[in-house]
Amino acid sequence: MQRTQSGLASRLARANPTTVFLITLVLVLVAFFTPGVVGGLLTLALAAGVAALLVTTWAVQTPQTRVIRLLVLTLLVTAGLVKLL
């Protein structure tokens, strides 16, 4: 599993930050503005992506960054569950 995480981390490091930001922004807006169950599932899918990123980069993040990412993950999961209900 370490080899897989190392490969993912190196691909993340090579990604264009502007492109990643714009794609993420579009996905968040679509998830938040899509009503009902579909919007909730999209929001939870985004939360899963954040969780995967958090696990992959945990060792190299500062404690403050970890707290912020955990808060974002909590907010995404909460928003997704609220949209489902």
Side-chain angles (χ1 to χ4, degrees):
M1 183 161 159
Q2 183 65 24
R3 186 174 283 175
T4 303
Q5 285 184 347
S6 175
L8 180 59
S10 66
R11 281 185 285 178
L12 286 171
R14 290 190 308 256
N16 181 342
T18 305
T19 303
V20 171
F21 173 77
L22 292 174
I23 290 171
T24 304
L25 178 64
V26 168
L27 291 173
V28 167
L29 291 174
V30 167
F32 283 172
F33 289 111
T34 302
V37 174
V38 175
L41 291 175
L42 288 172
T43 305
L44 290 175
L46 283 170
V50 169
L53 182 65
L54 185 65
V55 167
T56 303
T57 61
W58 186 265
V60 297
Q61 298 302 320
T62 63
Q64 295 87 359
T65 304
R66 291 174 182 170
V67 169
I68 292 169
R69 289 189 179 185
L70 286 171
L71 287 172
V72 169
L73 179 60
T74 302
L75 289 172
L76 279 173
V77 169
T78 302
L81 292 175
V82 166
K83 284 183 77 94
L84 285 176
L85 301 175

